Amino acid sequence: MDAKTAALEIMNSAIESADPYRAVRRSINVDGNRMAVFGEEFSLSGKVYLLAFGKAACSMARAVVDLLGERIEEGVIITKYGYAEDCPKLRRLKVIEAGHPVPDENSLLGGKPGLELAEKVEENDVLLVLISGGGSALFLLPERGITLEDKIRTNELLLKSGAKIYEINTVRKHISAVKGGKLAKRVRGRVISLILSDVVGDPLEAIASGPTVKDPTTFGDAFRILKLYGVWEKLPESVKRHIELGLEGKAEETLKEDLPNVHNFIVGSNTLACESALAKAKELGYNALLLTTTLEGEAREIALAVGSIVQEIARYDRPAPKPAVLIAGGEWTVTIEGKAGLGGPNQEFALSIARKIYGLNAVVLAVDTDGTDGPTDAAGGIVDGKTLGLLREAGMDVEEVLRRHDAYHALEKVGALLRTGPTGTNVNSLVVAVIPKGL
C-alpha cells in the first residue's frame, strides 16, 4: 500500500487500542457481589454509584453499565459537547455536555451534582469514578469566592502561556473544590477510579488534576508556575487572593496522604497506543521504531527534531533501513503571544515538519487521539515531501503562518488536514512517519 494509507492504518490501530469501552471491559470482572479490577477484589454488597467525566466518559460508562446494569443506584456523566451519543441509556444516569478546553456554565452543572453524588456514598457503598482526558475542564467546581468567569479566564491564560499540562493542572487543583484529591476526601465509602491517561508518563495526580489521588504539589508550586509563565499579574483578583491565602496556610491544601478507601487504576494510556501502532507497522512489513512515549516541547521545534530522523532514514538508512516507520507519543504545546490564527499543536507540528521533509519520499501525520486538535474540527495534519511546495504555490509563507499560529488554514488550503471526528478516547498525541524505499 502507499505510504499515506499505511500511516492512516497505523494511526487507526493505535486509536482502536485505546478504545475506552474495551479498556474498561478488559480491566473488570464481576462475579455475584464481587468485582475484581486487575485481580483486586471489592465487595458490591452496598449501593453502587457512578461518576464519569472526560472526553471518553460515555464509552467508559457504557462498559460499566453493561457489566453492572441495574446495580447502579445513581450516576452523573460529564463529557464534551458532541461526545454524548455513546452514553448509556439508563434513566438514573444524568448526562451533561460541557465546554472543553475552556469550561462553561455546564461544567458547573456537572461539578456540583458530581460532588453531591460523592457525598451520598455511605460506608458500605462503592463510588466508581471513570476519569479520562479533558476531565479538568469538564468536571469543575471553583473554590468559594472564585466565579466561573474567573476560573475560565485563568484557564485561558494558562492554555496560551505555553505551560505544560501538569503545570496547568497544578494551578487548577489549587483553585478547585474537587481536584487534587478533594473529591476523594468527601467520600465515606469505597472509591474505585478507572483512569484513561492523557498525561505524559501517566502520573496519577496530574490526570484530570487528580480528583481521587493525593497531590504532591502545593500553593507554592502554583504560585511559581503562574510567575514563571507571566500569568500572575493578569489573573483575576479572586484567584490571586485564594492562592495568597493558601500561601499563608489559610486555604485548604490538596490531599497529601493515601486514603485506605480509595483505589486508582490506569486502564489505558499513550504507551499502549504507541505499542499497538508499532505492532501494526511491523505487520505491514515496515522496519518500525518506537522513539518515545514521552515526547514534549514546543510543537514546531520538536517537529524539526523528528524531521531530522526522517531525513536520516530517507537518505542514509539509519537508524533503521527503508521501508521504515517512526512512532512517537506524548504531548506538545504551542506558546501564543498576541493575536493568533486557528490551529492546534498537531497541526502546527505537521506544518513545521513539512519544511524538514521537503523533497523526500515520506509521509508524516500528527494526531490528537481524541479527534480534536485545539479549538478546531481537525484531529491534526498529514504531510509529505510535496506539501511545502504546494503551500508555496498557493502563495503561503510557511514561516509567517507558523509565527501567526494559523496552521489550520494553511493545511486546509492544500488538503493536509487530518479529520477523524470524535474518537471516544484521549491518550495524548501521536506521530507516525512512514518512509518507503526510494528517495
Side-chain angles (χ1 to χ4, degrees):
M1 65 178 64
D2 65 87
K4 182 176 181 180
T5 301
L8 291 170
E9 283 211 13
I10 293 165
M11 176 197 76
N12 287 332
S13 179
I15 291 173
E16 287 170 10
S17 75
D19 178 83
Y21 179 88
R22 296 178 191 170
V24 172
R25 286 298 298 259
R26 67 174 172 250
S27 306
I28 297 177
N29 182 54
V30 177
D31 184 11
N33 282 332
R34 307 293 297 176
M35 180 176 73
V37 184
F38 291 115
E40 188 172 344
E41 289 201 354
F42 303 95
S43 171
L44 298 177
S45 57
K47 294 177 182 177
V48 178
Y49 295 88
L50 175 64
L51 175 60
F53 46 88
K55 298 176 192 174
C58 287
S59 293
M60 295 178 80
R62 186 162 53 84
V64 169
V65 169
D66 285 351
L67 286 164
L68 296 176
E70 295 300 319
R71 291 181 190 227
I72 299 171
E73 180 74 15
E74 188 181 346
V76 176
I77 302 171
I78 310 117
T79 194
K80 183 176 177 176
Y81 290 116
Y83 282 56
E85 188 176 324
D86 200 33
C87 271
K89 306 299 187 286
L90 200 62
R91 183 178 52 81
R92 62 196 68 172
L93 296 179
K94 181 177 184 180
V95 179
I96 299 163
E97 290 182 281
H100 180 275
V102 179
D104 62 6
E105 290 285 349
N106 275 14
S107 302
L108 283 178
L109 294 178
K112 287 179 181 176
L115 184 58
E116 289 168 1
L117 182 78
E119 291 174 338
K120 290 180 182 179
V121 181
E122 299 291 346
E123 198 169 306
N124 293 324
D125 299 338
V126 169
L127 175 65
L128 278 170
V129 184
L130 311 179
I131 301 173
S132 56
S136 284
L138 294 165
F139 184 54
L140 179 144
L141 189 62
E143 284 282 15
R144 187 175 299 176
I146 299 174
T147 66
L148 174 63
E149 291 72 23
D150 291 345
K151 178 92 172 182
I152 290 172
R153 176 61 180 157
T154 302
N155 198 50
E156 288 174 339
L157 289 168
L158 287 164
L159 288 169
K160 291 179 179 178
S161 72
K164 296 179 177 63
I165 186 65
Y166 73 86
E167 294 173 316
I168 293 173
N169 284 347
T170 295
V171 176
R172 285 170 167 167
K173 282 183 280 192
H174 286 88
I175 58 174
S176 169
V178 292
K179 297 179 173 68
K182 293 178 186 176
L183 175 70
K185 285 184 180 183
R186 307 294 187 265
V187 183
R188 295 184 295 276
R190 186 77 61 189
V191 178
I192 302 171
S193 290
L194 307 180
I195 302 166
L196 193 69
S197 173
D198 71 331
V199 181
V200 174
D202 305 329
L204 288 173
E205 70 278 0
I207 303 165
S209 302
T212 62
V213 182
K214 70 176 181 180
D215 175 42
T217 70
T218 65
F219 277 104
D221 294 321
F223 177 74
R224 177 185 55 78
I225 289 163
L226 290 164
K227 294 289 283 188
L228 176 65
Y229 289 96
V231 174
W232 178 255
E233 298 302 329
K234 303 173 187 176
L235 285 176
E237 284 302 315
S238 66
V239 174
K240 289 175 72 172
R241 181 58 184 151
H242 184 77
I243 290 173
E244 286 169 346
L245 287 172
L247 292 172
E248 296 167 8
K250 297 177 182 178
E252 181 189 11
E253 251 294 1
T254 50
L255 178 66
K256 295 298 182 242
E257 70 278 353
D258 288 314
L259 298 177
N261 63 317
V262 178
H263 309 266
N264 295 287
F265 301 92
I266 288 182
V267 298
S269 67
N270 186 263
T271 298
L272 179 63
C274 286
E275 288 172 352
S276 179
L278 182 70
K280 185 65 176 180
K282 289 178 178 178
E283 179 189 315
L284 294 175
Y286 288 92
N287 299 306
L289 291 178
L290 174 49
L291 296 178
T292 179
T293 58
T294 59
L295 186 62
E296 293 181 279
E298 194 71 19
R300 73 171 77 177
E301 301 303 330
I302 60 173
L304 295 179
V306 174
S308 294
I309 304 173
V310 174
Q311 271 190 348
E312 196 74 11
I313 292 173
R315 292 174 177 168
Y316 306 113
D317 284 298
R318 62 190 185 202
K322 299 184 291 290
V325 166
L326 297 179
I327 296 158
E331 189 78 5
W332 21 103
T333 54
V334 174
T335 303
I336 296 174
E337 296 175 359
K339 190 176 180 181
L342 186 63
N346 287 283
Q347 292 162 62
E348 190 145 320
F349 185 108
L351 185 61
S352 181
I353 205 170
R355 302 175 295 170
K356 200 70 174 174
I357 66 171
Y358 178 53
L360 299 178
N361 183 18
V363 171
V364 181
L365 67 80
V367 62
D368 193 320
T369 55
D370 74 348
T372 306
D373 184 41
T376 75
D377 63 350
I382 182 165
V383 298
D384 59 25
K386 299 177 183 177
T387 302
L388 183 63
L390 293 173
L391 287 163
R392 288 171 175 169
E393 287 173 16
M396 296 227 171
D397 181 338
V398 173
E399 300 303 324
E400 174 62 18
V401 172
L402 286 168
R403 188 189 66 78
R404 291 187 287 108
H405 305 293
D406 198 25
Y408 180 93
H409 292 117
L411 295 174
E412 184 179 43
K413 192 93 173 176
V414 295
L417 283 176
L418 181 58
R419 291 186 173 97
T420 63
T423 63
T425 191
N426 185 27
V427 289
N428 300 119
S429 292
L430 178 75
V431 172
V432 177
V434 179
I435 309 101
K437 287 184 176 180
L439 288 175

